[in-house]
Amino acid sequence: MKGNSYFYRKLHSLLGVIPVGAFLVEHLLTNYSAYHEGHEGFIRQVEWLNSLPLIFFLELFGIWLPIAYHGIYGLYVAYTARNNPKSYGFLRNWMFTLQRITGVITLLFIAWHVFDTRVQVALGNVAHDELGVRMHNIITQPWAFVIYVIAVISVSFHFANGMWSFLVSWGITIGPRSQRISFIIWMCVFVAMSILFILSLIAFTGVSFEEVPHTAALLLPLPG
């Protein structure tokens, strides 16, 4: 692996943006619909996504395989990286360390979240229009809510800080000034994403998510 480490690292970096980063943003918007559109709006978003043509192959090659590579290689990087924030104390050194820590948290959370939702749908234990109820049953457990809050903050930070690093490593933000501006922008994105995710979690605890709406069967997918 060492001989091709440059290629592996570049692929790891690129997949973190396209398609994994794009999927994260889409997932955020879908879940946020639970907050600003309610249970029916959330179901409508889920049904629309699952009505896309060749959805299995889109998920396999556009989401799961890229996430698997990004996550597994990320663990390798985290294991072999030389973190020494106490000795240096520089902001970027701490951000480097936090990037690795949040990466591990993110990978573990994705595995748990996918098993509790997507895998249950594939096994036939949960229907697509029951995912809101499924999330309600999970999130209303205090310990699960705390874990989800920690996880979505970690995911948001990992994405935002990863975007800053991506722009630097790919030669897009070169000078110190552009990197400082980029850092401020992406930290604002981190805060905004964390807030939207947490609002989505709060929405799932609402009484409207205790059961599938009676009008769910009449809901049509959003137009493409």
Side-chain angles (χ1 to χ4, degrees), residues 192-212:
M193 290 182 66
S194 297
I195 292 173
L196 294 180
F197 267 128
I198 292 173
L199 288 176
S200 302
L201 295 179
I202 293 173
F204 283 124
T205 65
V207 294
S208 64
F209 283 89
E210 290 181 352
E211 59 182 17
V212 178

Side-chain angles (χ1 to χ4, degrees), residues 100-123:
R100 271 55 193 171
I101 294 173
T102 56
V104 174
I105 294 174
T106 297
L107 185 60
L108 293 175
F109 171 69
I110 288 175
W112 175 42
H113 179 61
V114 169
F115 177 79
D116 262 351
T117 54
R118 191 66 183 86
V119 171
Q120 299 309 310
V121 171
L123 293 175

Side-chain angles (χ1 to χ4, degrees), residues 8-215:
Y8 292 133
R9 285 179 179 271
K10 285 297 183 181
L11 181 60
H12 173 262
S13 175
L14 183 62
L15 289 178
V17 178
I18 305 170
V20 175
F23 166 71
L24 174 63
V25 173
E26 177 277 317
H27 199 60
L28 168 61
L29 296 176
T30 297
N31 282 279
Y32 184 67
S33 66
Y35 178 79
H36 75 89
E37 294 181 30
H39 199 165
E40 293 182 359
F42 174 74
I43 293 175
R44 194 160 46 235
Q45 291 288 344
V46 170
E47 294 290 355
W48 175 75
L49 286 171
N50 286 278
S51 69
L52 295 175
L54 302 175
I55 184 63
F56 172 78
F57 295 101
L58 287 174
E59 289 185 339
L60 178 62
F61 295 105
I63 301 174
W64 306 125
L65 290 180
I67 285 179
Y69 176 84
H70 188 80
I72 294 171
Y73 187 77
L75 286 178
Y76 168 78
V77 172
Y79 179 75
T80 59
R82 296 181 178 179
N83 302 333
N84 201 357
K86 291 184 178 179
S87 296
Y88 296 98
F90 297 117
L91 175 63
R92 287 316 310 170
N93 205 347
W94 277 108
M95 301 299 275
F96 178 87
T97 303
L98 288 173
Q99 184 70 2
R100 271 55 193 171
I101 294 173
T102 56
V104 174
I105 294 174
T106 297
L107 185 60
L108 293 175
F109 171 69
I110 288 175
W112 175 42
H113 179 61
V114 169
F115 177 79
D116 262 351
T117 54
R118 191 66 183 86
V119 171
Q120 299 309 310
V121 171
L123 293 175
N125 297 328
V126 179
H128 287 127
D129 61 359
E130 295 174 335
L131 282 172
V133 176
R134 179 73 173 179
M135 285 301 300
H136 173 83
N137 292 336
I138 296 171
I139 295 299
T140 49
Q141 302 176 76
W143 63 269
F145 185 84
V146 171
I147 291 177
Y148 261 79
V149 168
I150 294 172
V152 297
I153 291 175
S154 297
V155 169
S156 300
F157 176 85
H158 191 76
F159 169 74
N161 190 54
M163 284 301 305
W164 180 92
S165 179
F166 173 84
L167 295 176
V168 173
S169 63
W170 286 79
I172 299 173
T173 53
I174 301 174
R177 183 174 182 273
S178 63
Q179 291 178 11
R180 283 196 301 270
I181 294 174
S182 176
F183 176 76
I184 294 172
I185 291 173
W186 286 110
M187 287 302 100
C188 289
V189 170
F190 156 58
V191 172
M193 290 182 66
S194 297
I195 292 173
L196 294 180
F197 267 128
I198 292 173
L199 288 176
S200 302
L201 295 179
I202 293 173
F204 283 124
T205 65
V207 294
S208 64
F209 283 89
E210 290 181 352
E211 59 182 17
V212 178
H214 297 299
T215 56

